[in-house]
Each structure stands twice: as structure tokens, then as C-alpha cells.
Amino acid sequence: MLIPYESIDTDTLTRLIESFVLREGTDYGEEEVPLEEKVNQVLEQLQEGIVVIEYSEEHESVNIIPRKDSF
């Protein structure tokens, strides 16, 4: 089930994105990107429709996935 990001409280959405970013592993780029910047990047991707928030009833979990993988 897809959850519109606009329907999630701002603080909750920020924590959800932070959790997602921290799960994704270590940053191996030339420069380390601060958590706040990564959160803003994911928020922009949600706003642009590149990624979506998916709730799995089966696993009782929430994840952020590419829109193309949501169907």
C-alpha cells in the first residue's frame, strides 16, 4: 500500500527518512554527505515522485522505494 508523504506528520516523515538513510549503509564518496542533506535529497525525491513510501501489511513495515518498483 502506498502512503502519500503529504499525509504524514512532518516530524514523523523526517524520522522515517532518517531511518531509511541510515539503513542504506556507509557513504563511500569523495566527501561525506551530512545526514540532513541526505534527508533533504530523499524528501525532494518524494516531492518529485521519484520514490514513494510503501507500507507492507504482511511485514508491518514502511519503506521508501523507487516509484518504478511500486507496481
Side-chain angles (χ1 to χ4, degrees):
M1 166 191 305
L2 297 183
I3 308 294
Y5 77 91
E6 304 93 338
S7 69
I8 301 173
D9 175 76
T10 304
D11 290 336
T12 303
L13 180 61
T14 300
R15 287 184 179 85
L16 173 69
I17 295 172
E18 286 174 351
S19 174
F20 169 75
V21 168
L22 292 171
R23 276 193 313 238
E24 291 302 304
T26 305
D27 188 354
Y28 292 109
E30 287 185 30
E31 296 180 24
E32 188 166 326
V33 179
L35 177 62
E36 184 177 346
E37 188 174 334
K38 289 179 184 180
V39 169
N40 288 333
Q41 290 172 351
V42 173
L43 181 57
E44 287 176 12
Q45 292 175 8
L46 282 165
Q47 292 168 338
E48 294 171 8
I50 297 168
V51 297
V52 293
I53 298 172
E54 179 183 60
Y55 172 71
S56 169
E57 292 180 29
E58 179 181 346
H59 297 104
E60 296 182 355
S61 64
V62 177
N63 201 7
I64 299 174
I65 61 170
R67 177 173 290 283
K68 65 180 178 65
D69 295 344
S70 67
F71 298 99

